[in-house]
Amino acid sequence: MIRTTITFFLVLIMNYGYSQAGITGFSSDKAAVQHTLEGKFDDNLSKENIGATIKKLAAKPHAVGSPAGKENALYIESLMKKWGWDAEIETFEVLFP
């Protein structure tokens, strides 16, 4: 009985978000903007795209602070900007043996 009740509430909670027209936490106009951004991101998802990106990022060793690490960071930043995200690279000074 308790398992059935818990399952019912889990299904109810999971379906609540899908039954709403907007997105929880977003006003209706901001939800439309968010859906557009997510759509742009989703349009670039494919196994070919993912495979090519992984090959590009893993083509050279890229330890912390290396030139190849910076190239990867700049590439990822350019992808995020292409998808409409407000992206920038931050620099942190860390101790790395």
Side-chain angles (χ1 to χ4, degrees), residues 5-28:
T5 305
I6 291 171
T7 304
F8 170 76
F9 281 112
L10 286 175
V11 170
L12 183 68
I13 289 168
M14 288 170 46
N15 287 331
Y16 175 74
Y18 296 114
S19 66
Q20 293 180 342
I23 303 173
T24 302
F26 287 81
S27 63
S28 59

Side-chain angles (χ1 to χ4, degrees), residues 35-95:
H35 280 297
T36 302
L37 286 174
E38 289 178 16
K40 283 183 183 178
F41 179 81
D42 290 346
D43 290 343
N44 287 299
L45 291 179
S46 71
K47 63 182 178 181
E48 293 81 15
N49 251 354
I50 293 169
T53 301
I54 289 171
K55 285 179 183 177
K56 178 171 179 52
L57 294 175
K60 302 176 194 172
H62 51 277
V64 174
S66 70
K70 184 172 183 178
E71 287 175 27
N72 283 351
L74 291 170
Y75 175 68
I76 292 168
E77 178 191 31
S78 72
L79 287 177
M80 290 184 173
K81 286 183 177 182
K82 175 181 154 190
W83 297 326
W85 296 359
D86 183 17
E88 64 181 58
I89 295 176
E90 285 191 47
T91 302
F92 297 92
E93 301 294 328
V94 297
L95 296 175

